[in-house]
Amino acid sequence: MLQKNGDPYLYETSLKLFTRAAAVIPEGIYGHQNPAFVIPGASPYFADYAEGGHFWDVDGNEYIDFLCGYGPVILGHNHPEVENAVNRQMAKGSCFNHPGKLMVMLAEKLTSMIAMADWAIFAKNGSDVTTWAIRVAREYTGRKKIVMAKGAYHGAHSWCTAYPGGVLPEEKNNILTMNWNQIDTLERLAAIHRGKIAGLILTPYHHPTYTAQEMAANGFWEKVREICDRENILLILDDIRACFRLDVHGSHEVFGIKPDLICFAKAMANGHPISTAVGLNKYREAAEAVFFAGTFWFSPVPMAAALTTLNILETTDAISEMNRLGTRLKNGLEELGKQYDYRITVSGPPALPYMTFDDDPDLYHIQVFCREMISRGVFLHPHHNWFICAAHTDADIDHTLEAADDVFRIVQQELDA
Ligand code: PMP
């Protein structure tokens, strides 16, 4: 494990801080940032600062950041134009009794950029808007049931979390699951629960943790729309993760999806906390009937960041650059996998790639691979898809592929010799 200057990557400060955290914070670090989801002891636990496509941990180790804050960082950390807009608004204030002009401007921006959107509402997190969207579907239809895909993530709220702690079974009573890409499983639910399903919530493609990402099969979305129309079910698109990395007009434009409501969050403000749901006029009355509020939701600061981020995404080649760099990474990893006789899959859109070893039931291969990449300054998550940002460079991809060449060999020596 060596840094560029020859020093090994050590995580001493991270580990000390974690011990302190564990004394005063339940779990020390909770949720998906919990070190148990990465590689305990062989990965940083705490970050210090970040710039462009790189970040530094509290031990001073530098990494190419292929997680980008789990997606929000799309233009690069600390982007000067976005931060100028943020600082200008911060100087005027960030918490008022009323919303500011920027909220109206941002709703105007989203409704002009996103063809299906007649209105937009704002909150902070993805979970805020997915939970609100299913309520709107219930309010509009007067029905209780919601269909989601098995293994999909729509947030940490009771109706959709995969974790049982503190959740009453009855909170999930009205949640049904279909299998991604298996339209017959949706048809079956529609037949069994005819007249009772309010909404179907899906992501633009399937991005579960631990396994390869799956794009929609040919004709999947047409069939989904047909069933929703026939059964009067609202189609809610959860575009929180891919959000604006594939198309500034929304991922639905790339895949020909025709949603009734769309939830966006993550990358819309380059890391500043804001989420939105947009929808058709038809659902405005139902949207007005579902109470929606949060003390911090009207802050104009992330709205300033969102307006600037969206303008940059609209007027530069950031999205095609992320696609190009992601394609280089994908092709390079696939080539190296072949050289080392591994069957690997780099799945998902190139700007949100994820690598899996095809034969890796206990996930050791991907864990050793990521452990070794991290120790060479390339931050890759073993169980969650990765993110390219517009501040990544060809040099970052070169460094990553050079490191991967070493690392495939180490994986082979350690697990398959
Ligand atoms: N939906 C999807 C597809 C997500 O990826 C996430 C976050 N990983 C969420 C919803 C929830 O967003 P948040 O963590 O901001 O509540």
Side-chain angles (χ1 to χ4, degrees), residues 230-243:
R230 190 186 72 214
E231 306 289 339
N232 295 316
I233 295 169
L234 270 75
L235 175 57
I236 304 163
L237 188 69
D238 175 350
D239 198 7
I240 284 166
R241 191 169 312 178
C243 177

Side-chain angles (χ1 to χ4, degrees), residues 125-127 153-155 203 207 238 240-241 266:
N125 281 93
S127 307
Y153 188 78
H154 298 297
T203 51
H207 42 58
D238 175 350
I240 284 166
R241 191 169 312 178
K266 297 269 189 194

Side-chain angles (χ1 to χ4, degrees), residues 32 70 124-130 152-157 160 201 203-204 207 238-242 263 265-266 274-275 384-385 387:
H32 52 269
Y70 287 81
K124 280 260 167 278
N125 281 93
S127 307
D128 301 331
V129 281
T130 52
Y153 188 78
H154 298 297
H157 290 180
C160 58
I201 183 163
T203 51
H207 42 58
D238 175 350
D239 198 7
I240 284 166
R241 191 169 312 178
C263 303
K266 297 269 189 194
I274 185 163
S275 57
H384 186 287
N385 74 267
F387 297 87

